[in-house]
Amino acid sequence: MSLSISDLNFSSITLGTWVFGGTSWGGADDTECVRVIHAAIDQGVSCIDTAPIYSHGESERIIGKALAGKRDKIVLATKCGLIRNPDGPGVVHNLNRSEILNQVEGSLRRLKTDYIDLYQCHAPDPDMNSEEVMQTLNQLKDEGKIRAIGVSNFSPKQVEECLRYADVITCQDQYSLLDRRVEEGITDLVRQKNMGILAYGPLAGGVLTGKYKDEPDFGGADCRTFFYQYYKGDAFQKVRQILDELEGLGHPLCELAINWVRQQKGVASVIVGCRTVEQLEKNLVALRWELSTQELEKIDEIINK
Ligand SMILES: NC(=O)c1ccc[n+]([C@@H]2O[C@H](COP(=O)([O-])OP(=O)(O)OC[C@H]3O[C@@H](n4cnc5c(N)ncnc54)[C@H](OP(=O)(O)O)[C@@H]3O)[C@@H](O)[C@H]2O)c1
């Protein structure tokens, strides 16, 4: 199954690669990451999502290596505007024209390609001038360095502002059974404007697979600890209760969580992070079935309790 927006063909599942490179997410094996990419392509995944900030460019480098001879099989999505703070911990938002022009060259080099299919603003920069950002991306499109423009983590108002200056085709946002903020404006906007949602974090970073029976401890610097807020204390206990009830529906939890997102309005593709081929293959089984209307209602009931 796939969906075309502006000539880009999005498979229902996009391979997410935040974990690749492993510096921020409990380590990762580069050889296995390459195997994951090859297995994904062999099994019909047509889109890969990455960003220069993932493991300081390592995620893009691994993808560039893995796509040798296979580049034309993939809609390659990367991002700009979020960089590591060179002076200390944390990140810096920067969507200045010169920064975007600089970042795109770095991504092209690491990805070993001369074009990026979908170039996304990773997150809003509080100081951004939307017109300048979009004109810069339009220029990259005219130069053939990118094929289409997307935004990520933008509010509906910010997306509308960007649409005044450019043909933005996707909104990449967190969307899972546990996080439905996208429904507060993005879903309707995307449908009105014939855009698509690329839904990230469908497994809430792994917790929705049900693999943690007890509260895990990843250590302070691990992304899961600060990005997905479901791993500690009361939040974790609440998720465990939800999972116990969802298990009653009789589906593997990872498939249920992916299909729930996949079946929501406006979703063009669900970006699923896979550390191993085994995880990828388990997740792809979700594409063989769908949740019924009754099951979707039951899930709503469980998560809204
Ligand atoms: N635009 C943005 O701001 C933004 C933010 C976050 C993510 N993203 C993108 O969206 C992608 C997906 O999000 P995500 O990777 O953060 O979270 P996710 O897809 O919700 O969870 C991915 C993690 O779940 C675990 N997992 C996956 N399949 C599994 C299975 N079958 N059984 C057991 N565990 C499984 C793995 O955890 P382990 O590592 O524990 O093995 C994997 O790293 C990212 O990779 C990235 O491309 C974008």
Side-chain angles (χ1 to χ4, degrees):
M1 268 175 288
S2 64
L3 180 79
S4 276
I5 312 176
S6 282
D7 293 337
L8 296 189
N9 201 19
F10 293 95
S11 43
S12 301
I13 288 183
T14 288
L15 177 63
T17 64
W18 190 4
V19 74
F20 287 20
T23 61
S24 43
W25 192 308
D29 180 75
D30 290 0
T31 311
E32 182 67 8
C33 293
V34 171
R35 287 185 63 228
V36 170
I37 292 169
H38 291 166
I41 295 172
D42 289 348
Q43 292 174 54
V45 171
S46 72
C47 186
I48 298 178
D49 177 72
T50 183
I53 199 165
Y54 297 164
S55 296
H56 310 278
E58 266 320 295
S59 173
E60 287 186 330
R61 267 187 215 100
I62 291 166
I63 294 166
K65 191 169 141 197
L67 287 187
K70 300 177 193 288
R71 173 67 186 89
D72 58 337
K73 298 188 188 316
I74 280 296
V75 169
L76 192 47
T78 191
K79 312 186 187 86
C80 58
L82 198 61
I83 52 171
R84 293 239 163 247
N85 180 1
D87 305 318
V91 295
V92 176
H93 295 261
N94 190 338
L95 281 169
N96 285 344
R97 178 180 160 76
S98 59
E99 184 63 29
I100 296 174
L101 295 176
N102 182 35
Q103 285 194 20
V104 77
E105 296 304 331
S107 288
L108 289 167
R109 198 172 52 247
R110 287 185 292 273
L111 289 164
K112 293 190 193 298
T113 184
D114 49 13
Y115 68 97
I116 290 158
D117 295 287
L118 180 68
Y119 201 46
Q120 306 157 104
C121 298
H122 201 147
D125 167 359
D127 299 323
M128 73 186 169
N129 171 335
S130 303
E131 180 175 3
E132 184 191 271
V133 175
M134 290 299 128
Q135 298 300 15
T136 306
L137 297 178
N138 283 336
Q139 177 191 325
L140 293 176
K141 241 171 104 173
D142 292 343
E143 291 170 358
K145 291 181 179 174
I146 68 172
R147 288 179 66 202
I149 299 167
V151 292
S152 175
N153 303 306
F154 277 41
S155 70
K157 197 164 165 242
Q158 288 167 327
V159 178
E160 287 201 86
E161 175 72 5
C162 292
L163 284 167
R164 293 176 58 195
Y165 307 108
D167 182 18
V168 179
I169 67 161
T170 51
C171 291
Q172 184 177 142
D173 288 291
Q174 188 168 167
Y175 201 3
S176 75
L177 284 164
L178 303 175
D179 188 335
R180 302 178 68 163
R181 286 171 293 169
V182 76
E183 293 168 10
E184 297 160 14
I186 291 289
T187 300
D188 285 344
L189 182 63
V190 155
R191 296 177 82 207
Q192 279 160 23
K193 306 285 184 189
N194 293 320
M195 301 162 69
I197 296 170
L198 302 182
Y200 73 70
L203 303 171
V207 75
L208 282 174
T209 63
K211 66 182 171 180
Y212 305 109
K213 300 297 172 207
D214 300 306
E215 204 177 300
D217 179 7
F218 302 121
D222 192 288
C223 291
R224 285 163 292 192
T225 312
F226 69 82
F227 193 81
Y228 295 106
Q229 315 263 314
Y230 311 109
Y231 289 101
K232 283 193 183 304
D234 291 349
F236 180 76
Q237 293 314 327
K238 176 139 195 272
V239 174
R240 267 302 345 153
Q241 264 175 18
I242 290 174
L243 292 173
D244 287 345
E245 288 198 53
L246 291 175
E247 260 168 353
L249 290 167
H251 298 293
L253 288 173
C254 57
E255 294 173 38
L256 181 149
I258 291 167
N259 276 348
W260 183 87
V261 181
R262 183 164 72 91
Q263 290 176 239
Q264 299 305 312
K265 295 189 180 87
V267 172
S269 186
V270 186
I271 315 179
V272 190
C274 303
R275 179 194 290 282
T276 61
V277 173
E278 191 190 349
Q279 289 181 354
L280 169 82
E281 288 179 345
K282 277 191 182 159
N283 298 335
L284 288 175
V285 177
L287 299 180
R288 299 192 198 143
W289 63 277
E290 287 200 340
L291 290 157
S292 68
T293 311
Q294 290 81 351
E295 285 175 320
L296 288 167
E297 282 167 9
K298 180 72 190 159
I299 292 170
D300 265 351
E301 215 178 277
I302 293 170
I303 54 184
N304 290 327
K305 259 186 195 167

